[in-house]
Amino acid sequence: MSFYHRLGQIPAKRHTQFHKPDGQLYREQVMGTKGFSGIQSILYHHHAPTELLQVQLLNDCEPEYEDKGALRHRHFRTNQYQGTGDAITGRQYLLGNEDLLIGVMTPTEPMNYYFRNANGDELLFVHHGSGKLETIFGTLPYKPGDYIVLPVGTIYRLVPNSGRTTLLFLETSSWITTPKRYRNEHGQLLEHSPYCERDLRVPEKLETYTVQGKHEVRTKKGSQMHSHVLNHHPLDVVGWDGYLYPWIFNIGDFEPITGRVHMPPPIHQTFEGSNFVVCSFCPRLLDYHPQSIPAPYYHSNVDSDEVLYYVDGNFGSRRGIEEGSITLHPSGIPHGPHPGKVEESIGKKHTQELAVMIDTFRPLRVVKQAHAIEDHDYAYSWA
C-alpha cells in the first residue's frame, strides 16, 4: 500500500532548515526501505532520535521449535491459551520459518514502554477488543476485524480498552503490501480489487510530546530484544510526510469475489509479503451454477503450507473447529473438506464464515509451546 500522506508541520522543502519557535532546529529523520530506493517518510523531531542514556540486551526471544516428526495436519485451540503479559511480552508464538512468525496474544497488562520491530513489517489482526495504537506517525484507534499494518522500525505502543483483547499477529523479516495484481504501475488499487484506498485508515491525529526524562524503547533485532533508554519521549514528532506509515484495513470492508463454480483461494488474497500471502474468508454468496458444489475440492499444497485462523461463523468444510482455532495443512499431502461436508454444502446459497488464511512458500515449523493447546487427533479426523 503506497500513497502520499502528511501530518503536522513540515518545511516547504525537504532537507532544509526548519526552526522551532525559539529558533532551534527541528531534527529531520529520513525513514525508508531498501536503502534509499524504497518507500520512505521524513519525520521532524524535537530531539535527535539518536540521543540515548542507556543500551541493554534484555533477552533472546527465538522460539523453541519441536523436533522433526511425521508430516501431518495440525490443529491448535488458541482459546485454551491463558495469556499473560502485555502486547509484546505476552506473545505466544505457534509457527514460524525464515520469513515470518505466527502467533496469538491476549494482553493482560499495559505496555509501560514503546516497541519497534527492526526485522520487518508486522501485521496484527484484532479478533476481540478495541483500543488505540500510539505511534511516531500518529494515533490509530482499532476495533474488532482490523488488520493493523506496521512498517519495519515503527515505534509504537498498543493501548487496549478494558475488556477482552485477542489478536493474531505476524512478525515478518520483510514487508507487507497489497497484492501486486490489484495495483497499477503507480500503486493505485484497480477496479477489480476487493478493496480500495477509501477502505484504508491512516494516521489522522499526531500527538507530540516534548517532555524530557527517561523513556524506554524496546527493539527486536534478529532473535534478541534490546532496551534503548532515551532522554526524551519517543513520540516527539511535530510533522512528517511520505509513503511509509502504519495503516488499518478492516476485514468487514473486504468485498468477496464470487463465481458460478468454486473459486480458488487466491480470490481471497488481501496482502502479500516475501514468500507468503494473507487471505480473508468473509461472508459471501456461494457458487450459483445449478450443479455447483460449494465446498472446496480436495487439493494438494505442493509448494506451500496453509494456515487458517478461524474468527467467527460456521466454517462449512470443517468439523471440530471452534472460534480461535488454528489449523496447519502442510505442503506435500492433500487436504480438503471433512467427510459429509461436500454433500452438506450442495444447495447452500451463502456462507457466514470469517477466517484469516496465511499461505507460506517455505515450510513452517511448530513451536514446542503449541503442544499444550494442540488437538492431537486432528490428523485422523477425515477417517
Side-chain angles (χ1 to χ4, degrees):
M1 199 284 300
S2 181
F3 60 82
Y4 177 81
H5 188 48
R6 62 185 286 178
L7 269 183
Q9 309 167 54
I10 59 174
K13 291 190 69 70
R14 58 187 177 183
H15 317 324
T16 60
Q17 297 178 31
F18 183 27
H19 293 277
K20 302 178 186 179
D22 64 4
Q24 295 186 59
L25 287 171
Y26 287 111
R27 302 304 175 185
E28 182 184 57
Q29 176 193 10
V30 177
M31 184 172 170
T33 61
K34 301 178 182 177
F36 288 91
S37 61
I39 60 171
Q40 68 177 39
S41 287
I42 300 177
L43 303 92
Y44 295 88
H45 296 261
H46 273 278
H47 307 276
T50 50
E51 294 178 15
L52 294 175
L53 294 177
Q54 182 181 345
V55 178
Q56 181 183 0
L57 172 63
L58 293 179
N59 57 273
D60 189 283
C61 45
E62 178 74 15
E64 186 178 0
Y65 294 106
E66 67 182 9
D67 297 330
K68 291 181 179 180
L71 184 67
R72 65 194 189 279
H73 300 317
R74 315 287 288 268
H75 174 207
F76 307 98
R77 300 183 185 275
T78 68
N79 275 341
Q80 296 179 4
Y81 167 58
Q82 300 297 317
T84 58
D86 58 40
I88 306 302
T89 61
R91 296 188 176 190
Q92 171 69 59
Y93 296 101
L94 301 172
L95 305 164
N97 63 17
E98 302 93 327
D99 304 305
L100 77 168
L101 294 167
I102 302 170
V104 294
M105 55 173 156
T106 56
T108 58
E109 301 171 9
M111 291 176 64
N112 58 6
Y113 58 91
Y114 286 84
F115 174 73
R116 66 182 154 205
N117 193 326
N119 291 326
D121 291 2
E122 292 189 345
L123 179 68
L124 311 180
F125 175 77
V126 183
H127 191 168
H128 301 106
S130 61
K132 63 180 180 178
L133 188 77
E134 300 175 346
T135 84
I136 53 173
F137 296 97
T139 300
L140 279 162
Y142 67 83
K143 60 185 179 182
D146 279 349
Y147 287 109
I148 305 172
V149 180
L150 287 156
V152 57
T154 298
I155 296 175
Y156 73 88
R157 179 168 67 179
L158 195 78
V159 184
N161 292 329
S162 59
R164 179 184 180 189
T165 295
T166 308
L167 296 99
L168 172 75
F169 68 85
L170 275 68
E171 297 179 11
T172 81
S173 59
S174 59
W175 41 266
I176 295 171
T177 188
T178 53
K180 185 177 181 180
R181 69 179 181 280
Y182 291 140
R183 288 182 270 120
N184 63 23
E185 67 271 25
H186 305 290
Q188 184 180 15
L189 290 166
L190 296 165
E191 285 296 298
H192 65 283
S193 171
Y195 60 95
C196 74
E197 287 81 1
R198 294 186 190 182
D199 299 314
L200 309 181
R201 308 203 312 269
V202 298
E204 297 291 350
K205 182 181 179 183
L206 183 63
E207 299 184 74
T208 305
Y209 299 89
T210 58
V211 295
Q212 291 188 282
K214 293 183 178 181
H215 291 83
E216 183 184 19
V217 176
R218 295 186 186 178
T219 302
K220 185 174 183 179
K221 181 63 176 176
S223 62
Q224 295 179 319
M225 190 72 74
H226 307 263
S227 171
H228 296 98
V229 178
L230 313 179
N231 64 358
H232 60 272
H233 199 289
L235 306 190
D236 68 340
V237 174
V238 297
W240 64 270
D241 76 331
Y243 287 71
L244 185 73
Y245 48 84
W247 51 282
I248 290 177
F249 171 69
N250 190 275
I251 196 170
D253 290 320
F254 187 89
E255 300 299 336
I257 298 169
T258 60
R260 273 171 44 93
V261 295
H262 189 79
M263 305 287 281
I267 64 164
H268 306 292
Q269 187 181 348
T270 312
F271 307 103
E272 67 182 22
S274 178
N275 294 317
F276 70 91
V277 299
V278 178
C279 301
S280 301
F281 288 85
C282 297
R284 63 193 183 278
L285 295 177
L286 290 173
D287 322 326
Y288 46 90
H289 186 284
Q291 298 296 315
S292 67
I293 300 176
Y297 35 75
Y298 294 93
H299 54 286
S300 296
N301 295 1
V302 294
D303 60 0
S304 65
D305 283 8
E306 178 193 279
V307 175
L308 267 168
Y309 178 79
Y310 300 84
V311 180
D312 194 17
N314 180 21
F315 204 78
S317 63
R318 295 280 179 273
R319 64 187 185 196
I321 297 299
E322 62 192 23
E323 181 184 306
S325 285
I326 286 181
T327 57
L328 168 63
H329 299 144
S331 60
I333 54 177
H335 72 276
H338 274 128
K341 290 297 182 178
V342 171
E343 293 80 2
E344 186 181 302
S345 74
I346 295 174
K348 289 192 174 181
K349 303 300 182 183
H350 63 272
T351 176
Q352 292 301 313
E353 70 187 20
L354 192 64
V356 176
M357 186 176 84
I358 305 152
D359 273 5
T360 68
F361 298 100
R362 285 199 268 198
L364 288 163
R365 301 177 65 189
V366 175
V367 177
K368 281 186 175 180
Q369 285 180 304
H371 292 175
I373 57 172
E374 183 169 8
D375 170 11
H376 295 280
D377 295 326
Y378 182 69
Y380 310 107
S381 60
W382 282 264

